[in-house]
Amino acid sequence: YKSTTSTDTPLAAMAEAFEELSRSLQSKDLRLAPFCSACALVSVLFSFLGFAFKFAEAEYVSKVHSLLEASKTYDTLNRIIDHDVEHNIVRTPGSHARNLRRVRQGLGLIQAIFEEFLTTNDCSLRTAASTAYSQVCAPYHTWTVRKAVFAGMYALPTRDQLIAKLKETDFSVGMEMRRYIEASRPIINYIDDLYISRDIKLDW
Ligand code: 1PZ
């Protein structure tokens, strides 16, 4: 038995952090620092994925870290987009608006992997991750990155190994993944709207 509000597993901590962010959305602009803290929790997942995803972890962590640094200057997500629009660097490699787009794609990928993982009770992690990655991220990645990701999929743990590493059970893993899926949805939509509302397309 696991309590629904515990944060003693990595998934529960992630779910809790995104639920908290979603609640804060109702009243005001999303603040950058708490957003980065929630995104940083996601990186514990990488430690369960094997050596092949070290490069993905480094990519993700450096972008979250860069946004955390930016939070010393810019209070909200809106502020960094305004700044980068003003300086015409929204899509410039390394800009905050670009890093935010990449981190958002990471959040969307995890959401999609969890959704695939929960479609059936015997879907392997590799199948879930391959399907989700193909749909959500692959179209925006270079050929080299896509090759590396698909090669790395073969080194992923099995479904049962992942559940054990996450310190979940067959039952609790579904509950915690669903919590993350639901809680991250409004955050992801909010981030997409930051771009769309400024007439910035999301095809990159
Ligand atoms: C339990 C879940 C198992 C999932 C396993 C699947 C992981 C797929 C990881 C995909 C990694 C792609 C890494 C490289 C991406 C780079 O091309 C871009 C470059 O951005 P630029 O510098 O040009 O602006 N970097 C990113 O998109 C940064 C974020 C990538 C990592 C997202 C992973 C999300 C978490 C996966 C689960 C832990």
Side-chain angles (χ1 to χ4, degrees), residues 42-43 45-46 49 53 55-57 59-60 63 93-94 98-99 102-103 105-107 109-110 113-114 125 129 133 137 140-142 145 149 153 156 162 177:
V42 169
S43 51
L45 289 183
F46 284 109
L49 301 183
F53 288 104
F55 82 104
E57 176 176 18
E59 270 289 319
Y60 180 82
K63 283 167 167 66
R98 181 171 171 126
N99 287 343
R102 298 292 175 235
V103 169
Q105 283 169 330
L107 299 179
L109 176 61
I110 296 158
I113 291 170
F114 287 179
L125 178 59
Y133 177 76
C137 282
Y140 309 113
H141 287 169
T142 62
V145 168
V149 171
M153 298 284 181
L156 285 176
L162 180 73
M177 284 184 175

Side-chain angles (χ1 to χ4, degrees), residues 2-23 110-111 114-115 118 168 171-187:
K2 253 173 98 277
S3 130
T4 49
T5 54
S6 70
T7 53
D8 56 357
T9 68
L11 280 184
M14 268 172 67
E16 179 70 26
F18 281 90
E19 283 170 354
E20 177 89 39
L21 274 188
S22 299
R23 282 193 291 273
I110 296 158
Q111 195 189 42
F114 287 179
E115 274 167 356
L118 297 177
E168 300 290 347
F171 171 74
S172 69
V173 77
M175 190 174 72
E176 301 301 357
M177 284 184 175
R178 268 181 216 102
R179 280 178 71 198
Y180 170 82
I181 292 167
E182 291 313 315
S184 63
R185 202 186 311 284
I187 303 297

Side-chain angles (χ1 to χ4, degrees), residues 101-150:
R101 173 90 187 117
R102 298 292 175 235
V103 169
R104 175 260 176 259
Q105 283 169 330
L107 299 179
L109 176 61
I110 296 158
Q111 195 189 42
I113 291 170
F114 287 179
E115 274 167 356
E116 288 297 322
F117 194 81
L118 297 177
T119 342
T120 64
N121 281 328
D122 56 0
C123 174
S124 75
L125 178 59
R126 171 153 48 105
T127 302
S130 306
T131 307
Y133 177 76
S134 301
Q135 291 169 358
V136 177
C137 282
Y140 309 113
H141 287 169
T142 62
W143 181 86
T144 314
V145 168
R146 288 201 302 270
K147 282 287 270 193
V149 171
F150 284 118

